[in-house]
Amino acid sequence: MLRNRLFFSQTYKCENLVRTACNLKPKAKLKTILPALLIAFSAAATAANKEGTLASVDLKTNEKEHFTVIAHRGASGYLPEHTLEAATLAFSLRPDFIEQDVVITKDDVPVVLHDIHLETVTNVEDVFPERHRDDARYYARDFTLEELRTLQIHERTGNDGKQVFENRYRGKLASFKIATLDEHLELISELNRQFDAQVGVYPEVKSPAFHAKEGIDASKVVIDSLNSYGFGGDDGNSYLQCFDFKEIKHIRENLGYKGKVVMLIGENEWDESDTDYDWVRTQEGMREVASYANGIGPWLGHVLNNEAMAQGMIEAAAWLNYAHQNKLTIHPYTYRHDALPTGMTGEQILEVLDNVVHADGVFTDHLVPVLTWREKQN
């Protein structure tokens, strides 16, 4: 979920949650959007709690549903992403799930990293300056676990070397290290045991086609780890996610996995896989996805009607009806409290996701505001 769409927030100028700036005049946005939000909330909700806060309403049963909160890369809004420290902090805040992106090392060990590349979150250029490929990038697959352990993880940086979110963790002395998937699963399992908690895991198989060319079945490796720690299978408290529809089918048909699976949806230009995400969002595509997956993880830029936004109205994207019709769980990504769209509060964004989009939950870098908002709904 990176590169030229670096976090949904980075493209808000033309693709934000409340307006398309290319179509909506700046002076009009506050006058039209915020009243439209109130109209949208009123039209979308059929019940309110005693305090007058809109309740989350299931489209079929009109019963209040649990809004799932997923710690995106751990507590990544507060500590460097995907570190054991970020996972521990996330657990302490009690989300429903903690996410782990998984790539495979040279010695076939699954490690928790968002990308198959290392330079955006580690000091690999300083430690192994000559170990890049012809594209000048450093691949986790080219390093053993022992070698990766020598690297320091830092806050994500852009192509200019600057920290992407300048107000996030700025410390220089703490030593954050790459951890294995098994270490993450063991950590969460042990914390669940000791605190009598039920925090689940939400691993993503990263770039399975790349790993296949490298001679490794990344999904099998991830599933084996999930099963080893009791998170796998139809009784496991987990979701297994991937951007590659062929891999979703492989997980079901060839690996026989029975646990919950989520099809992630991005833009074709991101090159996450050869999946046609435009097709995925069609009626046929959603029906096909539903025959293999339990849910979808759409990008926030896909969940609202752009034409309606251009007219100052907030409506769910029409394609989401196909997802609802096929009873697919909907977990959009990613809520970031330090990158809110102009003219909206965090609570308003969450209200839109809950009462207009009818999402079942959200991935978030910032657990505190999302969990606080959810608590208010209850």
Side-chain angles (χ1 to χ4, degrees), residues 125-139:
E125 304 102 315
D126 298 328
V127 181
F128 299 101
E130 305 301 323
R131 293 281 293 277
H132 57 77
R133 294 195 183 186
D134 291 341
D135 60 1
R137 307 207 69 176
Y138 298 81
Y139 289 75

Side-chain angles (χ1 to χ4, degrees), residues 156-283:
R156 180 170 291 275
T157 57
N159 294 332
D160 57 2
K162 295 181 180 179
Q163 191 166 306
V164 172
F165 291 100
E166 62 179 1
N167 290 321
R168 294 193 184 183
Y169 189 83
R170 296 176 179 174
K172 302 298 182 183
L173 299 180
S175 180
F176 298 105
K177 298 290 188 177
I178 292 173
T180 68
L181 176 60
D182 283 7
E183 288 169 339
H184 276 263
L185 298 182
E186 179 187 83
L187 173 71
I188 297 167
S189 178
E190 282 298 296
L191 291 174
N192 275 334
R193 179 182 64 80
Q194 294 178 86
F195 288 93
D196 193 24
Q198 296 294 325
V199 176
V201 298
Y202 211 124
E204 178 188 342
V205 180
K206 298 298 295 188
S207 304
F210 165 83
H211 284 101
K213 290 180 181 178
E214 295 287 318
I216 190 76
D217 187 337
S219 291
K220 183 180 186 306
V221 173
V222 173
I223 289 171
D224 286 346
S225 288
L226 284 174
N227 290 336
S228 294
Y229 289 90
F231 286 111
D234 52 5
D235 294 327
N237 190 17
S238 68
Y239 284 90
L240 180 61
Q241 55 179 332
C242 189
F243 274 102
D244 191 327
F245 185 49
K246 290 180 182 177
E247 193 68 12
I248 297 292
K249 296 172 71 174
H250 169 64
I251 288 168
R252 290 299 197 205
E253 294 180 339
N254 300 325
L255 299 180
Y257 186 63
K258 303 298 183 182
K260 296 187 290 295
V261 175
V262 164
M263 174 73 215
L264 294 170
I265 303 173
E267 288 279 13
N268 291 336
E269 65 186 32
W270 297 351
D271 295 325
E272 289 285 353
S273 74
D274 63 2
T275 300
D276 182 354
Y277 299 114
D278 293 334
W279 170 81
V280 168
R281 298 196 303 275
T282 66
Q283 185 172 23

Side-chain angles (χ1 to χ4, degrees), residues 1 8 17 67-72 99 202 241 243 262-265 295-304 316 319-320 323-324 328-336 349-350 352-354 356-365 370:
M1 307 172 191
F8 177 64
L17 192 59
F67 191 86
T68 300
V69 178
I70 305 140
H72 186 242
E99 183 196 36
Y202 211 124
Q241 55 179 332
F243 274 102
V262 164
M263 174 73 215
L264 294 170
I265 303 173
I296 56 171
W299 177 48
L300 283 175
H302 288 152
V303 299
L304 293 177
W319 72 269
L320 286 170
H324 290 303
L328 287 165
T329 298
I330 302 172
H331 290 158
Y333 63 90
T334 308
Y335 175 97
R336 295 182 168 93
I349 293 173
L350 294 167
V352 167
L353 290 175
D354 192 9
V356 178
V357 174
H358 294 287
D360 298 285
V362 70
F363 287 84
T364 180
D365 290 2
V370 179

Side-chain angles (χ1 to χ4, degrees), residues 29-136:
K29 67 186 179 190
L30 290 179
K31 293 180 179 179
T32 59
I33 294 297
L34 295 185
L37 283 172
L38 299 177
I39 294 172
F41 296 157
S42 298
T46 58
N49 64 19
K50 294 181 180 179
E51 289 76 24
T53 303
L54 293 171
S56 175
V57 179
D58 181 84
L59 294 177
K60 300 177 180 61
T61 65
N62 285 337
E63 293 179 356
K64 184 173 177 60
E65 293 293 311
H66 180 77
F67 191 86
T68 300
V69 178
I70 305 140
H72 186 242
R73 310 180 202 175
S76 58
Y78 314 104
L79 288 173
E81 65 184 55
H82 280 324
T83 57
L84 289 174
E85 292 84 352
T88 303
L89 177 57
F91 180 91
S92 73
L93 297 170
R94 294 298 194 278
D96 298 292
F97 295 92
I98 300 174
E99 183 196 36
Q100 304 81 29
D101 294 312
V102 185
V103 301
I104 313 299
T105 68
K106 186 176 182 178
D107 45 350
D108 295 343
V109 179
V111 293
V112 179
L113 286 166
H114 179 264
D115 308 306
I116 59 175
H117 311 110
L118 295 163
E119 64 272 10
T120 55
V121 293
T122 76
N123 63 338
V124 64
E125 304 102 315
D126 298 328
V127 181
F128 299 101
E130 305 301 323
R131 293 281 293 277
H132 57 77
R133 294 195 183 186
D134 291 341
D135 60 1

